[in-house]
């Protein structure tokens, strides 16, 4: 078993960009010289339906190709999923859960079915609207998981994302700057409550 491997499970709804964020995280980790996996799991493929995406990030090649049942980190892109999905199932108490919400970690903890590890929250809606002019929760959540998990070194991640955005939005420099501002602000605004 690979002790250096980090496993991340994303919970979101179709159209919120959880799958895209998972892929961007894998790209950044790969650029930093790590082995990566990124893959989604769909239920009914429609906008708004719950989806799950996964990442494995490791310094060594990984030959596991199953879903992730005991993640180190869980990212909840839509807090309404706390009511309908057991987002903490199998979650390592030495890891953390990161929830997109305007509430504090202390306010969220009672909804996490007794999870005793770190609880992190970030107001992705406010940050996204302030920086991007629209609600794209995946960008703040991507930055939050990098900040909390340390799966990619922060400066390396930001540099890689700038290169990615510069390629994707070459004719829209304001989009590039907005996204980078969103990432930096998100890393600074993650709130964390340690294990209970």
């Amino acid at each position: 078993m690979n002790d250096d491997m980090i496993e991340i499970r994303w919970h979101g709804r179709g159209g919120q960009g959880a799958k895209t964020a998972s892929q961007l995280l894998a790209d950044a980790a790969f650029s930093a010289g790590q082995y990566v996996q990124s893959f989604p799991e769909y239920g009914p493929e429609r906008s708004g339906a719950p989806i799950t995406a996964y990442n494995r990030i490791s310094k060594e090649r990984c030959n596991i190709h199953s879903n992730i049942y005991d993640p180190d980190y869980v990212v909840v892109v839509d807090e309404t999923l706390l009511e309908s999905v057991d987002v903490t199932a199998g979650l390592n108490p030495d890891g953390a859960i990161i929830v997109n919400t305007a509430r504090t970690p202390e306010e969220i903890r009672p909804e996490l079915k007794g999870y005793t590890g770190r609880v992190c929250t970030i107001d992705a809606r406010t940050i996204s609207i302030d920086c991007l002019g629209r609600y794209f929760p995946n960008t703040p959540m991507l930055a939050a998981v990098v900040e909390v998990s340390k799966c990619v070194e922060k400066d390396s991640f930001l540099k890689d994302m700038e290169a990615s955005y510069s390629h994707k939005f070459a004719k829209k420099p304001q989009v590039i700057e907005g996204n980078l501002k969103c990432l930096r602000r998100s890393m600074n605004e993650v709130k964390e409550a340690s294990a209970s």
Side-chain angles (χ1 to χ4, degrees):
M1 193 61 168
N2 183 349
D3 293 334
D4 292 324
M5 185 165 58
I6 294 174
E7 294 184 314
I8 301 167
R9 188 173 67 218
W10 299 73
H11 292 279
R13 293 188 183 278
Q16 292 180 326
K19 181 182 110 174
T20 300
S22 166
Q23 291 171 327
L24 288 169
L25 179 60
D27 289 346
F30 180 78
S31 294
Q34 300 190 72
Y35 291 96
V36 297
Q37 290 181 4
S38 171
F39 53 98
E41 175 185 25
Y42 294 102
E45 294 187 41
R46 65 182 191 277
S47 183
I51 70 118
T52 310
Y54 304 93
N55 285 112
R56 285 191 178 94
I57 300 171
S58 175
K59 292 182 174 69
E60 299 173 20
R61 184 179 299 277
C62 174
N63 295 319
I64 303 168
H65 297 289
S66 66
N67 287 351
I68 293 172
Y69 301 104
D70 299 304
D72 300 295
Y73 298 93
V74 164
V75 185
V76 182
V77 182
D78 187 319
E79 74 175 303
T80 65
L81 292 169
L82 297 177
E83 301 163 13
S84 57
V85 177
D86 184 3
V87 296
T88 59
L91 178 55
N92 185 338
D94 293 330
I97 185 168
I98 308 157
V99 182
N100 171 13
T101 181
R103 295 185 287 164
T104 66
E106 292 79 11
E107 290 171 319
I108 285 290
R109 187 177 292 279
E111 297 182 38
L112 300 180
K113 297 182 172 32
Y115 177 65
T116 58
R118 291 184 297 153
V119 176
C120 304
T121 61
I122 182 165
D123 188 352
R125 177 178 295 279
T126 297
I127 294 170
S128 177
I129 290 171
D130 286 353
C131 297
L132 304 172
R134 288 182 57 198
Y135 182 41
F136 296 107
N138 60 337
T139 302
M141 298 310 290
L142 172 60
V145 76
V146 169
E147 177 67 25
V148 172
S149 72
K150 313 292 188 214
C151 61
V152 181
E153 194 272 321
K154 188 189 293 192
D155 289 338
S156 168
F157 168 73
L158 290 170
K159 187 175 177 184
D160 186 71
M161 292 309 298
E162 183 172 11
S164 175
Y165 291 142
S166 295
H167 176 74
K168 187 174 181 180
F169 302 113
K171 296 183 177 169
K172 298 179 180 177
Q174 73 281 5
V175 174
I176 299 166
E177 191 45 50
N179 274 285
L180 292 173
K181 180 180 174 187
C182 185
L183 292 172
R184 288 190 200 99
R185 180 172 162 185
S186 299
M187 289 176 151
N188 291 328
E189 292 191 17
V190 177
K191 297 181 183 86
E192 183 174 324
S194 55
S196 59

